[in-house]
Amino acid sequence: MKAEFKRQIIALLEQHRIMSLATNRADGWPQATIVGYANDGLIIYCFVARDGQKFENLMRDPRVSIAIGNDVPQPLQIRGLSMAARAVHVEDKGEIDHAYALLLKRYPEYKIMPQPNPEAVPLIRFTPEIVSILDYSKGFGHADLVRVSDRDLADVIESRRHHWAGHPVESFQAKMAGRRD
């Protein structure tokens, strides 16, 4: 993907805090819900209820559609993202702690609450495969469709490995605690 498209996608992800997430139900009907999220570059994280329909849908079929945007006063100001992504249930404690730190940065008001217990509130990682970058300032209905390659994700994946790989969880948590504002 072109570097400019990647910058636009990340900028739009970082401007918002909620997204519409569409999963596939067992009966074939799509199910769209609103969830809070945080991103690490192109990678998106959110916590969901283990006993909810959304988690059940994601575990059966990891394909999702995501839409991110907001209301604007003029149609030519519409900017947003629509993407096809794959969901993975994250079980690695280091990655969970990393995602939680990202979420606290995005949602500082949650600092008064304990970190979600993965047994009840698992972490889901979304990796985009195809992204439609909406920018109506370039013309009504304008969208650039881009495919996300492994090369586009390499910087995030590599930094994630260096961030906590091989380090005890306590060390990682201490490092994250020092970063929290």
Side-chain angles (χ1 to χ4, degrees), residues 56-94:
E56 183 180 321
N57 294 346
L58 291 168
M59 293 304 94
R60 187 185 52 265
D61 186 346
R63 297 172 303 154
V64 301
S65 288
I66 295 171
I68 298 171
N70 61 305
D71 194 15
V72 292
Q74 298 295 321
L76 295 182
Q77 294 174 332
I78 292 173
R79 295 191 70 222
L81 298 171
S82 177
M83 62 179 68
R86 293 215 181 249
V88 172
H89 172 206
V90 177
E91 298 183 79
D92 177 81
K93 178 76 170 129

Side-chain angles (χ1 to χ4, degrees), residues 3-180:
E4 179 57 30
F5 287 151
K6 186 174 180 180
R7 280 192 296 276
Q8 288 176 18
I9 294 167
I10 292 171
L12 285 164
L13 285 170
E14 291 176 354
Q15 288 172 15
H16 297 87
R17 295 186 353 152
I18 62 169
M19 65 183 185
S20 175
L21 174 67
T23 60
N24 298 304
R25 292 170 37 111
D27 61 9
W29 284 93
Q31 177 180 350
T33 56
I34 300 294
V35 296
Y37 74 91
N39 64 294
D40 186 358
L42 297 171
I43 304 295
I44 301 170
Y45 292 103
C46 77
F47 287 97
V48 301
R50 184 176 298 275
D51 61 357
Q53 182 69 49
K54 183 172 24 232
F55 184 73
E56 183 180 321
N57 294 346
L58 291 168
M59 293 304 94
R60 187 185 52 265
D61 186 346
R63 297 172 303 154
V64 301
S65 288
I66 295 171
I68 298 171
N70 61 305
D71 194 15
V72 292
Q74 298 295 321
L76 295 182
Q77 294 174 332
I78 292 173
R79 295 191 70 222
L81 298 171
S82 177
M83 62 179 68
R86 293 215 181 249
V88 172
H89 172 206
V90 177
E91 298 183 79
D92 177 81
K93 178 76 170 129
E95 188 171 3
I96 292 168
D97 290 342
H98 174 69
Y100 181 65
L102 292 171
L103 284 156
L104 281 180
K105 189 174 181 179
R106 178 81 41 99
Y107 295 91
E109 62 273 22
Y110 287 7
K111 286 182 181 180
I112 62 170
M113 299 168 58
Q115 182 171 343
N117 177 345
E119 295 301 317
V121 186
L123 177 68
I124 306 297
R125 176 190 339 116
F126 300 98
T127 305
E129 294 186 4
I130 300 170
V131 181
S132 179
I133 308 166
L134 308 172
D135 187 350
Y136 284 29
S137 71
K138 296 179 180 177
F140 187 78
H142 179 86
D144 291 301
L145 190 64
V146 296
R147 187 168 297 277
V148 179
S149 70
D150 289 342
R151 191 171 54 236
D152 298 320
L153 300 169
D155 57 335
V156 173
I157 292 169
E158 196 57 31
S159 72
R160 190 181 314 134
R161 279 192 197 119
H162 290 295
H163 200 60
W164 65 70
H167 298 287
V169 171
E170 295 78 22
S171 169
F172 174 77
Q173 288 174 329
K175 191 183 292 183
M176 287 293 95
R179 290 185 178 180
R180 293 180 186 151

